[in-house]
Amino acid sequence: MYEEKFMLRAIKVSIKNLEKGGGPFGAVIVKDGKVVAIGMNRVTCNNDPTAHAEVMVIRKAAKKLKTFNLSGCEIYTSCEPCPMCLGAIYWARIDRIYYGNTKDDAAKIGFDDSFIYQELELDKGKRKVQMLQFLPEQAKETFVRWVEKEDKVEY
């Protein structure tokens, strides 16, 4: 259920992060009306291009809840998630996304991820980053073993 206080918290975290030398992004994960975790963008502080607020908060929430499946959770984020964060949210199985700024707002201040969406529409051979399949038969061995593994944890 939508709660203004959680979005305001995500926005406050994004502002506080600016004071700590990070980017203008913050996120909060909520479950059953309670804050589970708070995350902020630490890309430049951690020298980690994946340290977006949404990814950071997902990591914290999963660790706290001791599960990789965050079904039943909602994420409040100060900005519409980029493609990487959106993928992480889907993989985490978060039920709902609330966001403040749009991806167009982010693009206006220098955080433009439209090129990623455009790249995904292209054939693999026409993308900026070259993708080459290599040793597929050898790689399939792992998948065969996964299918045969009786004690696997599905996700």
Side-chain angles (χ1 to χ4, degrees):
M1 173 127 197
Y2 171 76
E3 291 281 350
E4 186 176 322
K5 66 183 177 182
F6 300 131
M7 180 56 78
L8 289 173
R9 184 99 180 256
I11 294 166
K12 187 176 181 179
V13 166
S14 70
I15 292 168
K16 186 176 181 181
N17 196 46
L18 287 175
E19 297 165 4
K20 292 182 166 190
F25 305 99
V28 176
I29 288 184
V30 175
K31 185 171 185 171
D32 299 326
K34 294 181 181 158
V35 173
V36 174
I38 295 169
M40 54 188 70
N41 179 288
R42 305 307 287 164
V43 170
T44 58
C45 300
N46 294 0
N47 292 315
D48 179 353
T50 68
H52 290 202
E54 297 89 343
V55 171
M56 299 297 282
V57 76
I58 287 169
R59 291 172 182 166
K60 288 180 181 179
K63 186 173 184 177
K64 184 173 182 179
L65 296 174
K66 297 181 176 148
T67 181
F68 55 82
N69 186 333
L70 299 179
S71 295
C73 292
E74 300 173 332
I75 188 168
Y76 292 79
T77 181
S78 61
C79 187
E80 184 176 357
C82 74
M84 176 184 69
C85 293
L86 188 58
I89 290 165
Y90 272 87
W91 278 113
R93 292 177 178 77
I94 292 173
D95 293 350
R96 188 171 289 125
I97 304 166
Y98 296 98
Y99 63 93
N101 295 306
T102 67
K103 62 183 179 184
D104 295 326
D105 296 329
K108 288 176 188 171
I109 64 163
F111 296 94
D112 189 358
D113 53 22
S114 62
F115 73 96
I116 298 172
Y117 290 104
Q118 292 166 3
E119 285 283 304
L120 292 174
E121 294 294 320
L122 297 174
D123 291 330
K124 290 177 191 169
K126 294 182 179 178
R127 293 179 185 169
K128 268 188 172 176
V129 176
Q130 215 174 23
M131 290 183 65
L132 305 166
Q133 189 176 21
F134 190 57
L135 299 177
E137 291 307 313
Q138 291 85 336
K140 285 181 183 159
E141 176 64 27
T142 308
F143 283 10
V144 169
R145 289 181 184 209
W146 171 257
V147 169
E148 294 170 351
K149 186 172 174 60
E150 292 183 18
D151 62 344
K152 64 186 166 222
V153 177
E154 304 251 0
Y155 60 98

